[in-house]
Amino acid sequence: MTSPVVMELGDTSKMMFMVPKNYTLKNLPTPKNGKILFEKQEEKIMAAIRFDGWADDEKIEKYKSILRAELDKEQLNYIPKFIFLGYNPPFEVLNRRNEVVVELINYK
């Protein structure tokens, strides 16, 4: 398992896992499940808000709203596709780290 686990938030769900830089699309292992696809994503500038504890839908929505409000207050443009990042395995009870992130547009 890699960290963080990435979940796109929206009408549909998409779960993604990061792989170390030393891998390319050519040298990744072949998935045993045909529904698993590899895709390369370009670098992006993201805004993030971090929160601790167990993440559930209510908590994720709370921090998504806080992040959206802060970006609007600062007049920062973003693609309205928020992403949840979870950094801890399920058996880790203490010191859990989570983030909600969103891609910024025209940020310099």
Side-chain angles (χ1 to χ4, degrees):
M1 189 75 122
T2 63
S3 179
V5 173
V6 180
M7 293 288 299
E8 287 185 355
L9 305 173
D11 295 338
T12 60
S13 297
K14 182 178 184 181
M15 182 181 288
M16 296 178 281
F17 300 91
M18 309 287 186
V19 296
K21 284 185 177 183
N22 58 322
Y23 286 95
T24 67
L25 289 176
K26 292 180 182 178
N27 68 4
L28 284 167
T30 304
K32 294 180 181 177
N33 183 323
K35 294 180 181 180
I36 297 173
L37 305 171
F38 293 117
E39 67 180 31
K40 181 176 180 170
Q41 294 200 358
E42 298 302 319
E43 290 184 17
K44 303 170 186 175
I45 297 176
M46 311 291 279
I49 187 167
R50 180 178 172 170
F51 62 97
D52 299 327
W54 288 95
D56 58 24
D57 291 343
E58 186 177 316
K59 208 172 205 184
I60 292 169
E61 276 301 316
K62 173 185 171 182
Y63 285 96
K64 181 175 145 184
S65 295
I66 293 169
L67 179 57
R68 182 185 292 121
E70 288 298 318
L71 293 170
D72 291 344
K73 183 173 97 177
E74 296 295 325
Q75 298 180 354
L76 293 171
N77 297 318
Y78 55 92
I79 297 173
K81 185 164 104 179
F82 289 81
I83 297 169
F84 166 74
L85 305 176
Y87 288 86
N88 304 88
F91 58 82
E92 198 168 299
V93 178
L94 300 174
N95 302 317
R96 297 185 66 80
R97 175 183 173 183
N98 309 287
E99 295 174 341
V100 173
V101 301
V102 68
E103 183 178 355
L104 297 179
I105 304 170
N106 301 323
Y107 184 81
K108 295 182 182 189

PDB file of all heavy atoms in Angstrom, residues 21-36:
ATOM      1  N   LYS A  21       8.957   7.461  -7.590  1.00  0.00           N
ATOM      2  CA  LYS A  21       9.468   8.058  -8.833  1.00  0.00           C
ATOM      3  C   LYS A  21      10.282   7.104  -9.687  1.00  0.00           C
ATOM      4  O   LYS A  21      10.388   7.291 -10.884  1.00  0.00           O
ATOM      5  CB  LYS A  21      10.322   9.288  -8.516  1.00  0.00           C
ATOM      6  CG  LYS A  21       9.541  10.499  -8.138  1.00  0.00           C
ATOM      7  CD  LYS A  21      10.474  11.687  -7.964  1.00  0.00           C
ATOM      8  CE  LYS A  21       9.703  12.940  -7.655  1.00  0.00           C
ATOM      9  NZ  LYS A  21      10.570  14.097  -7.566  1.00  0.00           N
ATOM     10  N   ASN A  22      10.881   6.084  -9.079  1.00  0.00           N
ATOM     11  CA  ASN A  22      11.725   5.190  -9.862  1.00  0.00           C
ATOM     12  C   ASN A  22      10.914   4.258 -10.773  1.00  0.00           C
ATOM     13  O   ASN A  22      11.484   3.511 -11.554  1.00  0.00           O
ATOM     14  CB  ASN A  22      12.671   4.385  -8.969  1.00  0.00           C
ATOM     15  CG  ASN A  22      11.941   3.556  -7.930  1.00  0.00           C
ATOM     16  OD1 ASN A  22      10.950   3.994  -7.374  1.00  0.00           O
ATOM     17  ND2 ASN A  22      12.441   2.376  -7.658  1.00  0.00           N
ATOM     18  N   TYR A  23       9.589   4.307 -10.686  1.00  0.00           N
ATOM     19  CA  TYR A  23       8.733   3.530 -11.587  1.00  0.00           C
ATOM     20  C   TYR A  23       8.255   4.407 -12.738  1.00  0.00           C
ATOM     21  O   TYR A  23       8.067   5.607 -12.590  1.00  0.00           O
ATOM     22  CB  TYR A  23       7.507   2.988 -10.856  1.00  0.00           C
ATOM     23  CG  TYR A  23       7.819   1.854  -9.936  1.00  0.00           C
ATOM     24  CD1 TYR A  23       8.063   2.073  -8.588  1.00  0.00           C
ATOM     25  CD2 TYR A  23       7.872   0.549 -10.407  1.00  0.00           C
ATOM     26  CE1 TYR A  23       8.348   1.022  -7.736  1.00  0.00           C
ATOM     27  CE2 TYR A  23       8.157  -0.514  -9.560  1.00  0.00           C
ATOM     28  CZ  TYR A  23       8.394  -0.263  -8.232  1.00  0.00           C
ATOM     29  OH  TYR A  23       8.681  -1.300  -7.395  1.00  0.00           O
ATOM     30  N   THR A  24       8.073   3.775 -13.883  1.00  0.00           N
ATOM     31  CA  THR A  24       7.462   4.426 -15.040  1.00  0.00           C
ATOM     32  C   THR A  24       6.256   3.590 -15.438  1.00  0.00           C
ATOM     33  O   THR A  24       6.055   2.490 -14.921  1.00  0.00           O
ATOM     34  CB  THR A  24       8.439   4.507 -16.225  1.00  0.00           C
ATOM     35  OG1 THR A  24       8.699   3.178 -16.690  1.00  0.00           O
ATOM     36  CG2 THR A  24       9.737   5.202 -15.839  1.00  0.00           C
ATOM     37  N   LEU A  25       5.468   4.090 -16.365  1.00  0.00           N
ATOM     38  CA  LEU A  25       4.332   3.308 -16.837  1.00  0.00           C
ATOM     39  C   LEU A  25       4.788   1.975 -17.436  1.00  0.00           C
ATOM     40  O   LEU A  25       4.057   0.989 -17.413  1.00  0.00           O
ATOM     41  CB  LEU A  25       3.526   4.107 -17.860  1.00  0.00           C
ATOM     42  CG  LEU A  25       2.727   5.289 -17.290  1.00  0.00           C
ATOM     43  CD1 LEU A  25       2.054   6.071 -18.407  1.00  0.00           C
ATOM     44  CD2 LEU A  25       1.692   4.820 -16.281  1.00  0.00           C
ATOM     45  N   LYS A  26       6.009   1.944 -17.952  1.00  0.00           N
ATOM     46  CA  LYS A  26       6.519   0.729 -18.593  1.00  0.00           C
ATOM     47  C   LYS A  26       6.976  -0.336 -17.598  1.00  0.00           C
ATOM     48  O   LYS A  26       6.916  -1.524 -17.905  1.00  0.00           O
ATOM     49  CB  LYS A  26       7.666   1.074 -19.535  1.00  0.00           C
ATOM     50  CG  LYS A  26       7.224   1.860 -20.741  1.00  0.00           C
ATOM     51  CD  LYS A  26       8.391   2.173 -21.650  1.00  0.00           C
ATOM     52  CE  LYS A  26       7.919   3.014 -22.825  1.00  0.00           C
ATOM     53  NZ  LYS A  26       9.014   3.381 -23.697  1.00  0.00           N
ATOM     54  N   ASN A  27       7.459   0.076 -16.416  1.00  0.00           N
ATOM     55  CA  ASN A  27       7.989  -0.943 -15.503  1.00  0.00           C
ATOM     56  C   ASN A  27       7.109  -1.205 -14.273  1.00  0.00           C
ATOM     57  O   ASN A  27       7.549  -1.855 -13.335  1.00  0.00           O
ATOM     58  CB  ASN A  27       9.438  -0.636 -15.101  1.00  0.00           C
ATOM     59  CG  ASN A  27       9.582   0.600 -14.231  1.00  0.00           C
ATOM     60  OD1 ASN A  27       8.614   1.232 -13.844  1.00  0.00           O
ATOM     61  ND2 ASN A  27      10.818   0.949 -13.927  1.00  0.00           N
ATOM     62  N   LEU A  28       5.867  -0.728 -14.295  1.00  0.00           N
ATOM     63  CA  LEU A  28       4.931  -1.070 -13.225  1.00  0.00           C
ATOM     64  C   LEU A  28       4.449  -2.508 -13.417  1.00  0.00           C
ATOM     65  O   LEU A  28       4.342  -2.976 -14.556  1.00  0.00           O
ATOM     66  CB  LEU A  28       3.724  -0.125 -13.252  1.00  0.00           C
ATOM     67  CG  LEU A  28       3.975   1.269 -12.701  1.00  0.00           C
ATOM     68  CD1 LEU A  28       2.833   2.200 -13.061  1.00  0.00           C
ATOM     69  CD2 LEU A  28       4.154   1.218 -11.194  1.00  0.00           C
ATOM     70  N   PRO A  29       4.165  -3.210 -12.341  1.00  0.00           N
ATOM     71  CA  PRO A  29       3.678  -4.587 -12.491  1.00  0.00           C
ATOM     72  C   PRO A  29       2.307  -4.609 -13.174  1.00  0.00           C
ATOM     73  O   PRO A  29       1.524  -3.669 -13.059  1.00  0.00           O
ATOM     74  CB  PRO A  29       3.588  -5.094 -11.055  1.00  0.00           C
ATOM     75  CG  PRO A  29       3.545  -3.884 -10.205  1.00  0.00           C
ATOM     76  CD  PRO A  29       4.257  -2.800 -10.948  1.00  0.00           C
ATOM     77  N   THR A  30       2.026  -5.676 -13.880  1.00  0.00           N
ATOM     78  CA  THR A  30       0.742  -5.819 -14.554  1.00  0.00           C
ATOM     79  C   THR A  30      -0.337  -6.136 -13.522  1.00  0.00           C
ATOM     80  O   THR A  30      -0.194  -7.092 -12.746  1.00  0.00           O
ATOM     81  CB  THR A  30       0.804  -6.958 -15.594  1.00  0.00           C
ATOM     82  OG1 THR A  30       1.876  -6.674 -16.499  1.00  0.00           O
ATOM     83  CG2 THR A  30      -0.491  -7.092 -16.349  1.00  0.00           C
ATOM     84  N   PRO A  31      -1.416  -5.346 -13.487  1.00  0.00           N
ATOM     85  CA  PRO A  31      -2.486  -5.610 -12.514  1.00  0.00           C
ATOM     86  C   PRO A  31      -3.177  -6.942 -12.802  1.00  0.00           C
ATOM     87  O   PRO A  31      -3.336  -7.341 -13.950  1.00  0.00           O
ATOM     88  CB  PRO A  31      -3.463  -4.454 -12.720  1.00  0.00           C
ATOM     89  CG  PRO A  31      -2.744  -3.448 -13.532  1.00  0.00           C
ATOM     90  CD  PRO A  31      -1.669  -4.151 -14.276  1.00  0.00           C
ATOM     91  N   LYS A  32      -3.607  -7.606 -11.742  1.00  0.00           N
ATOM     92  CA  LYS A  32      -4.353  -8.857 -11.891  1.00  0.00           C
ATOM     93  C   LYS A  32      -5.831  -8.605 -12.152  1.00  0.00           C
ATOM     94  O   LYS A  32      -6.549  -9.486 -12.571  1.00  0.00           O
ATOM     95  CB  LYS A  32      -4.178  -9.718 -10.643  1.00  0.00           C
ATOM     96  CG  LYS A  32      -2.763 -10.204 -10.457  1.00  0.00           C
ATOM     97  CD  LYS A  32      -2.620 -11.045  -9.214  1.00  0.00           C
ATOM     98  CE  LYS A  32      -1.160 -11.477  -9.089  1.00  0.00           C
ATOM     99  NZ  LYS A  32      -0.926 -12.237  -7.859  1.00  0.00           N
ATOM    100  N   ASN A  33      -6.275  -7.388 -11.896  1.00  0.00           N
ATOM    101  CA  ASN A  33      -7.666  -7.004 -12.100  1.00  0.00           C
ATOM    102  C   ASN A  33      -7.726  -6.045 -13.283  1.00  0.00           C
ATOM    103  O   ASN A  33      -7.054  -5.013 -13.290  1.00  0.00           O
ATOM    104  CB  ASN A  33      -8.198  -6.336 -10.829  1.00  0.00           C
ATOM    105  CG  ASN A  33      -9.653  -5.958 -10.900  1.00  0.00           C
ATOM    106  OD1 ASN A  33     -10.157  -5.541 -11.945  1.00  0.00           O
ATOM    107  ND2 ASN A  33     -10.343  -6.083  -9.779  1.00  0.00           N
ATOM    108  N   GLY A  34      -8.543  -6.345 -14.281  1.00  0.00           N
ATOM    109  CA  GLY A  34      -8.654  -5.520 -15.483  1.00  0.00           C
ATOM    110  C   GLY A  34      -9.239  -4.138 -15.238  1.00  0.00           C
ATOM    111  O   GLY A  34      -9.139  -3.264 -16.104  1.00  0.00           O
ATOM    112  N   LYS A  35      -9.857  -3.909 -14.071  1.00  0.00           N
ATOM    113  CA  LYS A  35     -10.420  -2.587 -13.758  1.00  0.00           C
ATOM    114  C   LYS A  35      -9.359  -1.622 -13.248  1.00  0.00           C
ATOM    115  O   LYS A  35      -9.612  -0.435 -13.116  1.00  0.00           O
ATOM    116  CB  LYS A  35     -11.536  -2.715 -12.727  1.00  0.00           C
ATOM    117  CG  LYS A  35     -12.744  -3.465 -13.243  1.00  0.00           C
ATOM    118  CD  LYS A  35     -13.803  -3.557 -12.171  1.00  0.00           C
ATOM    119  CE  LYS A  35     -15.004  -4.329 -12.684  1.00  0.00           C
ATOM    120  NZ  LYS A  35     -16.047  -4.444 -11.653  1.00  0.00           N
ATOM    121  N   ILE A  36      -8.177  -2.139 -12.951  1.00  0.00           N
ATOM    122  CA  ILE A  36      -7.091  -1.294 -12.450  1.00  0.00           C
ATOM    123  C   ILE A  36      -6.322  -0.734 -13.637  1.00  0.00           C
ATOM    124  O   ILE A  36      -5.856  -1.471 -14.499  1.00  0.00           O
ATOM    125  CB  ILE A  36      -6.147  -2.086 -11.526  1.00  0.00           C
ATOM    126  CG1 ILE A  36      -6.912  -2.553 -10.291  1.00  0.00           C
ATOM    127  CG2 ILE A  36      -4.930  -1.241 -11.135  1.00  0.00           C
ATOM    128  CD1 ILE A  36      -6.124  -3.476  -9.393  1.00  0.00           C
TER     129      ILE A  36
END
